[in-house]
Amino acid sequence: TPPPKNKPVAKVAPIAKPAAAVMGAAGAKANAIFGPKPSYPYEARAKKLTGSGVCVVTVDPATGNVTNAEMVQSTGSAILDNSALSTFRTWRFKPGALSKAKIPITFTLTGASI
């Protein structure tokens, strides 16, 4: 009897690199190549608005550019939230360093701190 014929082997795609977990503030700061603090808006200062919140930014791993920013915990003021979001959208990170980062922000009457 003839030997059994080998079946063609299906090509297997390489295993994709697992998505990175959401990085905290310390890791985000360490991997940021451009990360200015949000400005304290004049209108918020005049109204003496303060608050703390948390923003999650989504980063394109290939370029390090922020592709999305959203407040997962509001500061309690739309004015402060918008200032934080518009600033965090300008941040840049080392390419390939992370895909998401959680950044806490606190606005006091003396300014913003990360």
Side-chain angles (χ1 to χ4, degrees):
T1 61
K5 294 183 179 181
N6 291 336
K7 293 182 180 179
V9 178
K11 291 186 178 183
V12 178
I15 297 174
K17 186 176 178 181
V22 177
M23 188 172 287
K29 284 183 189 179
N31 288 300
I33 55 177
F34 179 74
K37 286 185 181 180
S39 63
Y40 197 106
Y42 176 79
E43 183 182 357
R45 188 180 303 275
K47 293 180 179 182
K48 298 184 179 181
L49 298 176
T50 61
S52 295
V54 178
C55 181
V56 171
V57 295
T58 304
V59 179
D60 178 2
T63 63
N65 294 333
V66 173
T67 57
N68 188 39
E70 63 180 312
M71 295 299 291
V72 292
Q73 179 184 339
S74 174
T75 61
S77 166
I79 298 168
L80 299 177
D81 288 350
N82 288 335
S83 176
L85 288 171
S86 63
T87 301
F88 292 142
R89 286 184 184 117
T90 67
W91 280 35
R92 300 291 176 260
F93 296 89
K94 295 176 188 170
L98 59 125
S99 61
K100 283 195 178 217
K102 185 184 289 189
I103 308 168
I105 180 75
T106 300
F107 287 95
T108 62
L109 293 178
T110 58
S113 60
I114 301 172

